[in-house]
Amino acid sequence: MDPVKNPYAPGAGTPPPELAGRDDLREIVRIALERVRAGRPTKSVLLVGLRGVGKTVLLDRIREDAEATGIHTIRIEAPESRSLPAILAPQLRQALLRLSRNAEAKHLAQRALRGLAGFAKALKVKYQDIEVGFDFEPEPGLADNGDLEHDLQALLEVVGAASKKAGTVLAMFIDELQYVDEEELAALITALHRTAQRSLPVMLVGAGLPQLPGRMGRAKSYAERLFDFPEIGPLPPDAARIAITKPAADQGVRVDHDALKHIIHKTHGYPYFLQEWGKHAWDTADDSPISLRDVKRASEAAIAALDQSFFRVRFDRLTPLEKRYLRAMAEIGPGPHRSGDITDQLGRGVTSLAPTRSQLIAKGMIWSPNHGDTAFTVPLFDEFLKRIMPGNDWKA
């Protein structure tokens, strides 16, 4: 069929043609944001799930929903190499400049911009990657102590006051939140706690890997009382069917029942994989309906595409020992696995491989669902490892 009309969209954070199975989550966040706007107590929301479940897509759709109702938002992706103040400050500046155009909130928004200038200048000594334009001179004594936990709290208080005066909410959307340093997470949690205590309309909507709740709890013991952590998993069969059939139907194309069943089986319902299989099944089929034979022929191309991109980009970041550790996990199965069972595969002690395990957690490759357990953060990564590291040479 015509590849130009192919409706499927595999890609990092690429919106699918049909965001199926996520309406309940969108409604949870909508209600939370409206409660914050109304001055009612509520929790910030952190979406938690494995790679490929569509957290980034969902985060962006929720942000679009919020902005459509007049809520002010900022959007950040937390990289592994930059500090929270560095990525937060420029986005806060843009949000405050927008708020300063509101006549009611102008004075408070400009005061917040003065606070931001003091915040950035005071913290520049410790966080040298901060780069933000200054629209006003700092206000002495406002968010300028040089202590992140104290200053971020003071800054978000004045930002919240400006948002309240404008009748809106400042919603911070932060993706890949698990990469934020725990000391910086602690400061963010403290600041959000303070704005909640003062009923100020500031809220965090974040997304991260499954280790995020544990990192938040270690940063501040009361974090579990400030946040909801809805788990984002693979789509249930009904939603997975819609994700495949509706985009095709919109182009006048049907998908046979057996073909659809095979796609769901191969992808386990993970949204990213559904898009990959949908794309290759479309390109393989000569005409409608897409058949089981088409899907089986397309599976080889879909797996090759995943191996070259989705899986390979993560594999290439690993050291040889880290690759062997993950291959040992794959040898046992998809997981989760006890740490001792993994190290037994390598003929090493748990203690000797503890640093390797910690490095893999820091890189977002594995996580610990329970004490002593280890699981992949990337679905189907065990199958990829067996393809790329076949045989037993990895044990040497």
Side-chain angles (χ1 to χ4, degrees):
M1 292 186 290
D2 185 355
V4 174
K5 295 182 179 179
N6 192 324
Y8 301 102
T14 305
E18 179 65 24
L19 186 60
R22 304 306 192 199
D23 289 348
D24 288 349
L25 291 165
R26 292 168 67 185
E27 181 65 5
I28 286 170
V29 181
R30 186 195 70 79
I31 291 170
L33 287 166
E34 290 303 329
R35 285 183 61 83
V36 170
R37 177 150 51 183
R40 297 186 175 93
T42 193
K43 296 179 181 180
S44 289
V45 179
L46 303 181
L47 310 174
V48 176
L50 301 177
R51 300 288 185 192
V53 296
K55 298 185 300 297
T56 299
V57 166
L58 182 57
L59 196 70
D60 287 340
R61 182 64 62 87
I62 291 170
R63 184 190 178 203
E64 291 173 8
D65 294 343
E67 293 216 324
T69 67
I71 287 173
H72 283 246
T73 74
I74 61 175
R75 170 69 161 87
I76 296 167
E77 180 175 326
E80 297 177 68
S81 57
R82 297 192 65 199
S83 70
L84 179 65
I87 60 176
L88 191 57
Q91 294 296 321
L92 281 176
R93 174 179 175 264
Q94 292 183 16
L96 289 168
L97 288 172
R98 292 196 300 269
L99 279 171
S100 69
R101 294 196 285 268
N102 181 292
E104 295 292 322
K106 182 176 180 178
H107 173 72
L108 285 172
Q110 290 181 348
R111 182 165 189 255
L113 284 165
R114 291 194 290 272
L116 179 62
F119 174 87
K121 287 185 176 180
L123 289 171
K124 181 72 172 177
V125 175
K126 182 174 182 180
Y127 301 101
Q128 298 180 9
D129 56 345
I130 296 179
E131 297 292 341
V132 61
F134 298 139
D135 302 278
F136 296 92
E137 287 299 312
E139 178 179 319
L142 178 59
D144 62 356
N145 284 334
D147 175 80
L148 178 60
E149 187 159 308
H150 181 277
D151 290 351
L152 186 57
Q153 177 179 312
L155 180 60
L156 288 192
E157 281 189 74
V158 70
V159 170
S163 301
K164 186 174 184 178
K165 195 69 173 177
T168 187
V169 176
L170 177 75
M172 298 181 289
F173 287 77
I174 305 181
D175 199 7
E176 302 286 8
L177 197 55
Q178 76 278 349
Y179 289 135
V180 175
D181 178 82
E182 282 190 16
E183 179 185 349
E184 296 164 18
L185 275 181
L188 180 60
I189 294 166
T190 300
L192 290 167
H193 189 201
R194 182 57 179 160
T195 57
Q197 288 174 324
R198 294 195 56 197
S199 298
L200 294 171
V202 177
M203 182 172 165
L204 171 63
V205 184
L209 293 173
Q211 59 262 44
L212 180 59
R215 298 195 80 243
M216 300 292 280
R218 288 192 298 272
K220 286 291 179 181
S221 60
Y222 55 79
E224 65 180 26
R225 302 195 296 275
L226 286 179
F227 302 97
D228 282 328
F229 296 94
E231 293 186 11
I232 316 300
L235 297 178
D238 287 349
R241 281 191 285 270
I242 292 170
I244 290 294
T245 58
K246 189 175 185 303
D250 290 344
Q251 299 291 329
V253 172
R254 290 192 304 107
V255 183
D256 279 347
H257 173 77
D258 289 344
L260 187 58
K261 186 177 178 180
H262 192 72
I263 289 174
I264 294 171
H265 170 73
K266 295 292 288 185
T267 62
H268 297 255
Y270 285 100
Y272 184 93
F273 301 155
L274 285 166
Q275 295 301 307
E276 197 73 69
W277 254 263
K279 174 189 183 298
H280 288 284
W282 176 285
D283 287 345
T284 299
D286 292 323
D287 50 31
S288 178
I290 296 173
S291 68
L292 175 60
R293 180 172 175 271
D294 294 327
V295 172
K296 286 184 174 180
R297 288 168 54 208
S299 291
E300 185 175 342
I303 290 170
L306 287 169
D307 285 357
Q308 293 166 13
S309 58
F310 185 80
F311 294 131
R312 186 86 204 198
V313 71
R314 291 164 173 83
F315 183 81
D316 286 346
R317 298 175 62 229
L318 305 174
T319 67
L321 183 55
E322 289 167 352
K323 291 174 182 177
R324 291 178 62 219
Y325 189 96
L326 295 181
R327 181 61 179 84
M329 288 178 61
E331 187 70 8
I332 311 171
H337 306 298
R338 301 298 295 172
S339 296
D341 294 337
I342 300 167
T343 55
D344 285 349
Q345 290 286 325
L346 294 167
R348 301 273 294 273
V350 172
T351 303
S352 69
L353 286 171
T356 301
R357 182 176 183 270
S358 297
Q359 290 161 6
L360 287 167
I361 290 173
K363 289 182 177 181
M365 294 302 303
I366 59 175
W367 69 294
S368 180
N370 299 293
H371 180 69
D373 284 348
T374 305
F376 291 105
T377 61
V378 182
L380 309 187
F381 203 64
D382 58 313
E383 297 178 13
F384 164 74
L385 288 165
K386 289 178 181 179
R387 288 193 296 271
I388 201 167
M389 299 174 70
N392 293 313
D393 289 349
W394 58 272
K395 291 184 177 182

